[in-house]
Amino acid sequence: MFDHFVFSKFSFLLRAKDILMLPQYKGSTLRGGFGNAFKKVVCTIRNSICDECLLKAKCIYSYIFETPPPEGSEILRKYEKAPHPFVIEPPLETKMHYKPDETLTFNLILIGKAVDYLPYFIYTFEELGRIGIGKGRGKYELKEVCCDWKQIYNSVDRQLKQVKNNSPSIPSYLKRGKEELPPLYKGGLRGVTQKYSLITLNFITPARIIVNEDLVVDLEFHHLIRSLLRRISTLSYFHHGKRMEIDFKGLIERASRIRAKERNTKWYDWERYSARQDTKMKMGGFIGKVTFEGDLNEFLPFIRLGEIIHVGKGTSFGLGKYEIMEGE
């Protein structure tokens, strides 16, 4: 089902040159700063609105950051934008002040065609370091970028090294070494014969899942599956060029039979300032653990993929990150 799906995950190490004053949740600062610097780096026609730009169909910024559905798109008719092909996973530490020479690390996940644009991401985050981030526009240096714990770029020689298989398909990722996988997947998904009836998901960053135009507070299993199906199918269509043939209605109907056995979540409120809209935006969501019980096997590939690409709204800020805790 996911043979065509590819991704790469990179770790960026930043060294503060000035005092950095950042919020506790740094996803908004990193993503917002990246967007502004990215447009300055690649935009040919400055001060132009993307939707009105003659070059939008071939523009890297438009593809990566605005991602408009192509003309004549068969899906997403009711959406203005397709999902972004990247996820920025901010450091989860709540530290807000970084002294010169102190470091912080964040992850960047590129999906589908966006993997080819890694050099643009590296250059943009270098440029953002020169511009400055956070309160007071503190400057930093991009020290290194790693993939699979191997350094592929550093600030000394500034040469991007090629890494074998740094764009694995989803099936190859699922079949990696057993010590790297959660207990539920140590047998490999394709070889699953055991019937799994229990799974616990730990939502690490706020999950903003919307069903029928309402934010979900108490997560039900069908809420999760609806959101995952929407995200996976649109990422496949717009960033891999393939429409997935999935029985959406049947899957959602069967997902509604899975019950929440235990729920230990709370609402996490935070807000970000949008320079484009000149307003503060509420970005709260639920965090914590939910245990589901039922016939889970057919849903496991979607849940595992969701661990990588996140779920819900605001994924480019790092929202909707969860991990599989256990399965029986």
Side-chain angles (χ1 to χ4, degrees), residues 49-301:
I49 300 174
C50 289
D51 290 341
E52 301 172 358
C53 181
L54 179 66
L55 304 178
K56 68 177 181 180
K58 298 296 182 181
C59 175
I60 296 173
Y61 175 85
S62 178
Y63 172 69
I64 292 291
F65 210 80
E66 296 291 338
T67 320
E71 190 173 343
S73 169
E74 297 177 21
I75 62 176
L76 277 193
R77 292 189 184 94
K78 62 180 180 179
Y79 298 96
E80 291 183 1
K81 304 292 181 185
H84 301 319
F86 71 92
V87 175
I88 294 175
E89 293 185 328
L92 297 177
E93 61 190 13
T94 57
K95 183 175 180 177
M96 300 174 67
H97 290 177
Y98 293 81
K99 299 176 182 178
D101 290 329
E102 288 189 325
T103 62
L104 69 152
T105 302
F106 70 90
N107 295 325
L108 171 70
I109 299 166
L110 298 181
I111 301 166
K113 300 172 187 175
V115 174
D116 295 334
Y117 297 127
L118 172 64
Y120 288 91
F121 280 82
I122 292 176
Y123 183 80
T124 299
F125 276 110
E126 282 190 326
E127 182 64 21
L128 180 58
R130 290 187 280 269
I131 295 171
I133 60 171
K135 187 177 180 181
R137 297 288 185 183
K139 294 177 174 54
Y140 67 80
E141 176 187 19
L142 174 59
K143 288 292 293 180
E144 68 174 19
V145 179
C146 294
C147 181
D148 280 337
W149 299 281
K150 297 177 182 177
Q151 186 187 86
I152 61 171
Y153 183 84
N154 64 66
S155 60
V156 178
D157 59 34
R158 302 190 73 209
Q159 297 296 312
L160 181 59
K161 301 178 180 66
Q162 293 296 320
V163 180
K164 281 188 176 182
N165 299 323
N166 74 323
S167 303
S169 66
I170 295 301
S172 67
Y173 181 81
L174 296 176
K175 293 187 288 184
R176 294 172 79 175
K178 291 186 177 182
E179 70 280 356
E180 299 177 39
L181 298 176
L184 186 59
Y185 295 97
K186 286 191 175 179
L189 278 180
R190 290 191 172 184
V192 168
T193 56
Q194 180 181 349
K195 182 178 180 180
Y196 288 97
S197 60
L198 199 68
I199 188 172
T200 297
L201 304 180
N202 181 27
F203 290 86
I204 301 169
T205 62
R208 291 176 58 82
I209 294 176
I210 296 177
V211 176
N212 297 326
E213 301 184 0
D214 291 325
L215 269 174
V216 170
V217 177
D218 295 321
L219 183 70
E220 297 291 347
F221 192 72
H222 71 91
H223 295 153
L224 175 70
I225 295 303
R226 285 172 189 267
S227 188
L228 285 174
L229 288 175
R230 184 185 306 113
R231 178 157 170 74
I232 291 169
S233 61
T234 51
L235 284 172
S236 175
Y237 184 77
F238 291 104
H239 302 298
H240 295 85
K242 183 172 181 178
R243 184 167 185 169
M244 297 184 68
E245 300 299 328
I246 299 175
D247 178 15
F248 292 92
K249 185 177 180 180
L251 277 169
I252 292 170
E253 182 180 325
R254 292 188 292 278
S256 65
R257 303 170 193 165
I258 308 296
R259 301 302 176 195
K261 181 180 180 182
E262 188 175 349
R263 187 183 287 111
N264 184 17
T265 61
K266 64 180 181 180
W267 193 259
Y268 182 94
D269 250 330
W270 71 285
E271 61 182 22
R272 62 174 288 260
Y273 173 74
S274 172
R276 185 168 56 179
Q277 300 182 43
D278 191 25
T279 186
K280 289 186 177 181
M281 304 174 65
K282 293 286 186 180
M283 298 289 286
F286 65 85
I287 58 174
K289 298 178 182 179
V290 185
T291 299
F292 295 108
E293 186 174 31
D295 189 357
L296 294 162
N297 277 49
E298 70 174 318
F299 303 105
L300 299 185

Side-chain angles (χ1 to χ4, degrees), residues 32-42 61 124-125 127-129 131:
F34 162 73
N36 292 330
F38 194 35
K39 192 164 188 177
K40 291 179 181 178
V41 166
V42 304
Y61 175 85
T124 299
F125 276 110
E127 182 64 21
L128 180 58
I131 295 171

Side-chain angles (χ1 to χ4, degrees), residues 9 89 92 202-205 310-311 318-323:
K9 185 172 183 176
E89 293 185 328
L92 297 177
N202 181 27
F203 290 86
I204 301 169
T205 62
H310 296 210
V311 67
L319 300 185
K321 177 180 176 61
Y322 67 85
E323 61 182 358

